[in-house]
């Protein structure tokens, strides 16, 4: 007949929970050793031989075995750790029984297993541990080896031992609580930072989706007037016969064609943004797509490109091309004669550099770019803010530098975008 264990018994303990328990066992071993030495050498109290031959060796052996098995068995269940806890409590109970029971100031050390249990266990094993510890405390109030039956030099020595022991136990428990609370506080702070980071990323993602929806809606509304202008251009071409009029209509047709391509690209990008997800592509293909979009908007402008000699595969989503294109657009606005794009790989990751020969900005203006959306007539507002948000989603950084004859914008991305994603 097999015994059915409760579900919490098999629940694995986390690494930091096992570390707390190991710290408790080490702490308890040190306390018992110091207390015995204190009794014997300071107050000359002769305790039963079981203190030296049974209880203390059992505690030291248990602590030694725990530190021995933890590296080999990195995951212990709650039931296994509870069994070790019960073993430690039994040893501590025998130690206290032979040294005065509740009269021994060390009785207050029973608070320590309750505190540790509440930290590392779920509700059921923690409740069992509390009941067991409470029962041991009340039993030690009734059953114990009287301290006065031992060889105590004087009554003053007994009171001094009790008062000093209470102070020592208080300090010891304070140290143990500090060892518990500080790591928990650090873990809580780290979780809080992760939560804030995830909230920020969620808000940024919603913002990008809203912009994608707005762009798709705007493209749909602009499609009708552009089609109307195309019909008017075709009608005018049939009625106007002069060469000058035909040349003007050719220019108009070219511009309408540029607008139509731009709208098609906006619809495609908006549809892709509504379906987020990373994909793999070669860096050269990614740059070729960015250059094609840039040339579509600036057909008369050259874009020198420098790529790494080693082929690189990127694992990105569609937002990265928007980030790079926004920087190119901003550079082309202020430097129509020269805009260049460089890509470099290093030990930290990948760097996109957009270089222009514009007039440049003041240091105070450079420090504000991308920090928040600006409403300026000459630009440098929402586009750079979107770029900053996209770069942050990749755990990257956006930097602006100004030299004597050029302004440089850099997107620094981690190596993770060049590594294969892990499929769950």
């Amino acid at each position: 007949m097999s015994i059915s264990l409760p579900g919490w018994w098999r629940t694995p303990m986390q690494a930091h929970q096992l570390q707390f328990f190991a710290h408790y066992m080490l702490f308890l071993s040190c306390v018992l050793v110091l207390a015995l030495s204190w009794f014997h050498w300071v107050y000359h109290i002769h305790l039963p031989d079981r203190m030296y031959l049974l209880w203390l060796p059992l505690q030291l052996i248990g602590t030694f075995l725990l530190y021995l098995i933890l590296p080999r068995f990195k995951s212990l269940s709650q039931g296994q750790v509870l069994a070790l806890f019960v073993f430690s409590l039994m040893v501590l109970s025998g130690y206290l029984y032979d040294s005065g029971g509740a009269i021994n100031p060390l009785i207050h050390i029973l608070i320590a297993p309750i505190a540790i249990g509440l930290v590392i266990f779920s509700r059921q094993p923690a409740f069992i541990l509390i009941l067991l510890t409470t029962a041991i405390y009340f039993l030690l109030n009734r059953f114990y080896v009287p301290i006065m039956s031992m060889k105590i030099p004087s009554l003053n020595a007994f009171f001094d031992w009790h008062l000093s022991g209470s102070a020592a136990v208080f300090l010891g428990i304070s140290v143990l609580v500090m060892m518990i609370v500080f790591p928990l506080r650090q873990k809580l702070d780290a979780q809080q930072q992760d939560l804030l980071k995830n909230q920020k990323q969620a808000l940024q993602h919603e913002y990008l989706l809203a912009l994608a929806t707005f762009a798709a809606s705007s493209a749909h509304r602009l499609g009708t007037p552009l089609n109307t202008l195309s019909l008017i251009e075709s009608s005018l071409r049939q009625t106007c016969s002069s060469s000058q009029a035909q040349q003007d209509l050719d220019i108009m047709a070219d511009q309408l064609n540029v607008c139509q391509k731009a709208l098609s690209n906006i619809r495609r990008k908006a549809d892709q943004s509504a379906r987020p997800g990373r994909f793999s592509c070669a860096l050269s293909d990614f740059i070729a797509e960015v250059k094609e979009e840039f040339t579509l908007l600036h057909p008369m402008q050259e874009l020198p490109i420098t790529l790494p000699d080693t082929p690189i595969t990127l694992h990105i989503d569609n937002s990265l091309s928007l980030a790079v294109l926004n920087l190119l657009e901003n550079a082309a606005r202020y430097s129509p004669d020269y805009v260049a794009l460089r890509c470099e790989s290093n030990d930290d990751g990948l760097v996109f550099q957009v270089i222009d020969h514009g007039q440049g900005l003041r240091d105070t203006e450079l420090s504000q770019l991308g920090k928040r959306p600006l409403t300026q007539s000459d630009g440098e507002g929402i586009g750079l803010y979107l770029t900053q948000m996209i770069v942050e989603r990749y755990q990257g950084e956006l930097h602006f530098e100004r030299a004597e004859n050029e302004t440089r914008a850099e997107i620094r991305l981690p190596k993770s975008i060049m590594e294969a994603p892990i499929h769950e």
Side-chain angles (χ1 to χ4, degrees):
M1 179 178 177
S2 60
I3 300 176
S4 178
L5 297 175
W8 59 262
W9 183 276
R10 302 182 183 87
T11 303
M13 303 287 286
Q14 298 181 8
H16 71 278
Q17 295 172 329
L18 294 175
Q19 188 177 19
F20 285 147
F21 178 62
H23 289 341
Y24 161 75
M25 291 290 287
L26 182 60
F27 165 80
L28 187 58
S29 299
C30 294
V31 168
L32 298 188
V33 170
L34 291 175
L36 270 183
S37 302
W38 191 21
F39 290 163
H40 186 79
W41 299 106
V42 177
Y43 294 104
H44 305 289
I45 300 176
H46 298 279
L47 299 171
D49 292 339
R50 287 192 301 271
M51 302 283 289
Y52 305 96
L53 302 179
L54 180 61
W55 305 128
L56 183 60
L58 282 177
Q59 177 62 33
L60 295 178
I61 291 172
T63 303
F64 174 77
L65 292 178
L66 177 63
Y67 276 90
L68 186 65
I69 65 175
L70 276 183
R72 299 183 181 181
F73 303 94
K74 296 182 179 180
S75 178
L76 297 177
S77 68
Q78 286 197 99
Q80 292 170 329
V81 176
L82 180 62
L84 293 173
F85 236 129
V86 172
F87 166 79
S88 176
L89 275 175
M90 294 300 102
V91 172
L92 181 58
S93 301
Y95 185 99
L96 293 172
Y97 171 82
D98 282 330
S99 57
I103 299 176
N104 190 336
L106 205 61
I107 188 73
H108 302 296
I109 208 72
L110 288 172
I111 297 176
I114 293 178
I116 296 292
L118 290 174
V119 170
I120 68 175
F121 287 134
S122 59
R123 180 180 300 177
Q124 293 91 337
F127 184 69
I128 293 173
L129 189 62
I130 291 173
L131 287 180
L132 180 60
T133 306
T134 304
I136 290 172
Y137 178 82
F138 283 105
L139 286 173
L140 288 172
N141 276 272
R142 294 181 59 86
F143 305 101
Y144 55 88
V145 176
I147 195 72
M148 301 305 295
S149 65
M150 306 173 193
K151 296 180 181 179
I152 301 177
S154 66
L155 191 59
N156 290 334
F158 167 76
F159 285 113
D160 186 34
W161 161 74
H162 188 80
L163 294 176
S164 301
S166 298
V169 169
F170 174 79
L171 291 176
I173 294 178
S174 299
V175 171
L176 182 63
V177 171
M178 181 180 65
M179 293 170 61
I180 298 173
V181 171
F182 280 175
L184 287 178
R185 177 61 182 271
Q186 293 176 351
K187 187 177 180 64
L188 183 62
D189 290 342
Q191 291 177 345
Q192 186 70 17
Q193 292 297 325
D194 291 340
L195 179 61
L196 293 175
K197 182 179 179 180
N198 292 335
Q199 288 178 342
K200 182 179 180 180
Q201 290 180 348
L203 290 174
Q204 289 177 347
H205 183 63
E206 291 180 3
Y207 189 65
L208 289 174
L209 286 179
L211 285 177
T213 303
F214 176 75
S217 176
S218 299
H220 179 74
R221 290 196 297 267
L222 288 174
T224 300
L226 282 177
N227 291 333
T228 302
L229 289 175
S230 297
L231 292 175
I232 294 175
E233 181 267 334
S234 299
S235 177
L236 290 175
R237 193 177 292 278
Q238 295 176 0
T239 57
C240 298
S241 57
S242 65
S243 60
Q244 182 62 41
Q246 291 296 324
Q247 292 178 0
D248 293 340
L249 289 173
D250 289 339
I251 295 174
M252 181 178 179
D254 292 338
Q255 297 302 313
L256 287 173
N257 186 44
V258 170
C259 292
Q260 291 284 4
K261 290 181 179 180
L263 281 180
S264 298
N265 188 51
I266 290 175
R267 291 193 188 99
R268 180 172 60 87
K269 289 293 184 181
D271 181 63
Q272 291 173 345
S273 298
R275 292 181 282 106
R278 293 200 178 191
F279 56 88
S280 299
C281 71
L283 175 62
S284 57
D285 295 338
F286 171 77
I287 294 299
E289 180 183 353
V290 171
K291 183 177 181 180
E292 180 182 354
E293 295 183 16
F294 179 77
T295 304
L296 181 65
L297 299 174
H298 302 274
M300 305 302 294
Q301 191 162 17
E302 295 290 333
L303 181 62
I305 294 177
T306 304
L307 295 176
D309 297 332
T310 305
I312 295 176
T313 300
L314 303 179
H315 301 281
I316 56 176
D317 57 33
N318 294 285
S319 63
L320 186 58
S321 61
L322 176 61
V324 178
L325 193 61
N326 282 339
L327 294 182
L328 291 172
E329 277 284 302
N330 185 69
R333 183 181 298 114
Y334 296 100
S335 177
D337 297 330
Y338 180 83
V339 176
L341 175 60
R342 297 178 187 172
C343 299
E344 300 176 355
S345 62
N346 52 40
D347 294 338
D348 297 325
L350 190 65
V351 179
F352 293 96
Q353 296 180 345
V354 176
I355 304 169
D356 67 74
H357 290 171
Q359 296 180 355
L361 298 171
R362 295 186 297 272
D363 292 338
T364 55
E365 295 173 329
L366 285 175
S367 63
Q368 295 299 319
L369 290 180
K371 303 299 183 183
R372 56 187 178 86
L374 306 176
T375 55
Q376 299 180 359
S377 59
D378 57 351
E380 299 174 3
I382 191 66
L384 294 182
Y385 180 64
L386 282 175
T387 298
Q388 177 71 35
M389 289 196 336
I390 293 170
V391 171
E392 287 180 354
R393 290 176 63 234
Y394 285 94
Q395 285 79 48
E397 298 177 349
L398 178 63
H399 291 271
F400 296 91
E401 299 177 359
R402 179 173 58 86
E404 183 177 355
N405 296 319
E406 67 179 29
T407 301
R408 178 176 302 179
E410 289 188 354
I411 296 178
R412 303 173 185 174
L413 299 176
K415 294 179 66 175
S416 58
I417 70 163
M418 298 185 290
E419 300 171 353
I422 299 176
H423 299 284
E424 297 181 357

